[in-house]
Amino acid sequence: MVRRRQIYEGKAKILYEGPEPGTLIQYFKDDATAFNAQKRGTISGKGVFNNRISEHIFTALKGIGVPTHFIRRLNMREQLIRQVEIVPIEVVVRNVAAGSLSKRLGIEEGTQLPRTIIEYYYKDDALGDPLIADEHIACFGWASQEEMNDIADMAIRVNDFMSGMFAAIGIRLIDFKLEFGRVWENDYPRIILADEISPDGCRLWDMKSNEKLDKDRFRLDLGGEAEAYQEIARRLGLLEEEDASSVLDLDTHRKKRGR
Ligand code: TMP
Ligand code: ASP
């Protein structure tokens, strides 16, 4: 096996050097963390589902003119991406109150917000990713005003597109997190969508039953997390019935053999 240089290991993904300069390989792990990695576990087959789901969404976003780091999927757990300078900001878009918004402001989970909210968090595990304001971003130079305008515009376009895409398969897009990166083209910086879009960083509720079909199943110990990720992939038409069961079977067999 060819050994590749590992560039970075995060909580859910590993980045390896890519085949050409300016590219990386993004590997999706089954590892799951919550509450700033105080809770750790694995979700069988999650990496495979997230790789497919993120490919599907990034490809569709490219189709509506949102620039992304995604180049192509390589195999079950890996995709080729453009190397970017990650902007150290987590961009959270909210349509319905849930999670930290409900907790912080005492708004009942499930309350439809009168307008979409964009929030920014400073990406720093040691600080627990604190909520920040535009003023902090400008003051500390994490992104320019022009870049922040592009980021907010793209976040709204992604939200509009994804809200429709999920509504079409009976799912309510409650909220989600995006990350952006900077690429240099002819000495000019340009912002593109990076990281991933998957049930790890979205809240997705079944429209009829309100059942949670995302990482909250893991965060809140609800059980059935692998099945929830699989259900999202299935509804998006990404898995044939046999494919889905073989992903889960494969992981079950691997575990039985102690690997
Ligand atoms: P929150 O309600 O906990 O602030 O989360 C808002 C959305 O952002 C939710 O869809 C989950 C996602 N998220 C991440 O992807 N990574 C994180 O570290 C956190 C805190 C939230
Ligand atoms: N991914 C985050 C962590 O473990 C938290 C979360 O998604 O809830 O730190």
Side-chain angles (χ1 to χ4, degrees):
M1 202 186 106
V2 186
R3 284 197 64 83
R4 292 174 306 192
R5 198 158 71 90
Q6 185 177 309
I7 305 286
Y8 176 80
E9 176 158 12
K11 286 176 281 201
K13 297 188 291 297
I14 305 175
L15 296 177
Y16 295 100
E17 196 170 52
E20 289 149 35
T23 66
L24 296 175
I25 292 167
Q26 178 163 259
Y27 175 95
F28 289 78
K29 303 191 275 187
D30 284 349
D31 297 350
T33 63
F35 314 118
N36 204 16
Q38 287 175 60
K39 178 180 166 76
R40 288 173 182 277
T42 58
I43 301 175
S44 251
K46 171 172 86 84
V48 178
F49 296 129
N50 282 359
N51 188 22
R52 279 300 271 119
I53 294 167
S54 202
E55 172 196 23
H56 178 76
I57 298 175
F58 276 54
T59 303
L61 287 171
K62 184 182 173 192
I64 61 158
V66 175
T68 83
H69 74 162
F70 179 80
I71 301 173
R72 68 173 180 277
R73 187 165 62 85
L74 298 172
N75 54 49
M76 297 258 281
R77 287 184 183 271
E78 293 176 332
Q79 46 183 245
L80 185 67
I81 58 170
R82 282 183 76 177
Q83 185 161 27
V84 301
E85 281 173 29
I86 281 285
V87 174
I89 298 168
E90 300 202 344
V91 178
V92 169
V93 181
R94 300 182 188 271
N95 300 306
V96 176
S100 68
L101 176 83
S102 291
K103 207 168 157 195
R104 186 178 300 116
L105 302 179
I107 298 167
E108 194 187 346
E109 187 165 275
T111 308
Q112 183 73 43
L113 298 170
R115 47 171 286 174
T116 298
I117 295 175
I118 306 185
E119 293 175 342
Y120 303 109
Y121 293 82
Y122 181 47
K123 213 171 132 57
D124 186 314
D125 283 340
L127 298 175
D129 297 345
L131 178 67
I132 51 172
D134 286 301
E135 292 285 291
H136 300 107
I137 299 170
C139 178
F140 300 112
W142 293 322
S144 70
Q145 190 52 56
E146 210 180 340
E147 288 175 332
M148 288 314 294
N149 293 343
D150 288 348
I151 285 175
D153 287 350
M154 280 193 252
I156 292 299
R157 293 191 67 198
V158 172
N159 184 48
D160 289 346
F161 175 80
M162 288 219 296
S163 295
M165 184 190 78
F166 281 115
I169 54 168
I171 286 168
R172 211 168 154 207
L173 179 61
I174 306 299
D175 58 30
F176 60 94
K177 186 255 308 185
L178 299 175
E179 293 189 28
F180 293 87
R182 193 178 287 117
V183 288
W184 293 86
E185 284 166 4
N186 306 320
D187 288 339
Y188 285 99
R190 190 162 82 103
I191 292 292
I192 65 176
L193 185 63
D195 193 47
E196 72 180 292
I197 299 181
S198 73
D200 266 11
C202 300
R203 285 198 174 91
L204 305 167
W205 295 3
D206 181 84
M207 268 183 178
K208 287 209 184 101
S209 65
N210 277 336
E211 189 188 2
K212 296 180 196 299
L213 295 171
D214 56 60
K215 203 168 93 175
D216 267 352
R217 300 209 72 83
F218 169 78
R219 293 190 189 97
L220 308 172
D221 289 319
L222 300 176
E225 44 270 50
E227 291 74 12
Y229 284 69
Q230 178 184 322
E231 177 64 9
I232 297 297
R234 191 191 65 77
R235 287 201 205 180
L236 287 170
L238 304 178
L239 292 179
E240 299 300 329
E241 297 294 332
E242 316 87 72
D243 281 356
S245 57
S246 72
V247 169
L248 292 177
D249 282 355
L250 202 107
D251 283 323
T252 318
H253 289 148
R254 198 179 292 141
K255 257 191 214 130
K256 278 191 189 139
R257 294 200 308 268
R259 289 165 58 190

